[in-house]
Amino acid sequence: MDTTDFALRGDYITLDALLKATGWASSGGDAKAAIADGRAVVNGEAETRRGRKLRAGDVVEFDGHRAAIQAAG
């Protein structure tokens, strides 16, 4: 699984917003449903909170994709 670096624009991004920003979910509704189904993994653990704040150093896996969250700047 290849890892994509995702640069933050602020201090954090929510999990649902990350899925939309990366194109892994086509809409907010799709992101919400996928997260509720337990398809998102943050730092090795399933995450079902769509509002989970992701900060620099977090790693998200979703449907065969991986993103490493990077600090802004």
Side-chain angles (χ1 to χ4, degrees):
M1 179 180 326
D2 290 333
T3 301
T4 301
D5 290 336
F6 185 88
L8 291 171
R9 293 184 182 172
D11 293 334
Y12 67 88
I13 187 170
T14 59
L15 181 56
D16 62 337
L18 175 76
L19 297 185
K20 291 186 294 183
T22 57
W24 299 347
S26 59
S27 69
D30 286 345
K32 180 180 177 181
I35 294 166
D37 288 345
R39 291 169 41 201
V41 175
V42 177
N43 300 328
E45 295 188 21
E47 180 57 70
T48 57
R49 297 173 293 162
R50 68 184 178 126
R52 162 72 188 265
K53 292 179 180 177
L54 304 170
R55 301 180 190 280
D58 286 334
V59 175
V60 177
E61 296 178 24
F62 180 78
D63 288 353
H65 303 282
R66 180 182 298 145
I69 311 301
Q70 306 292 318

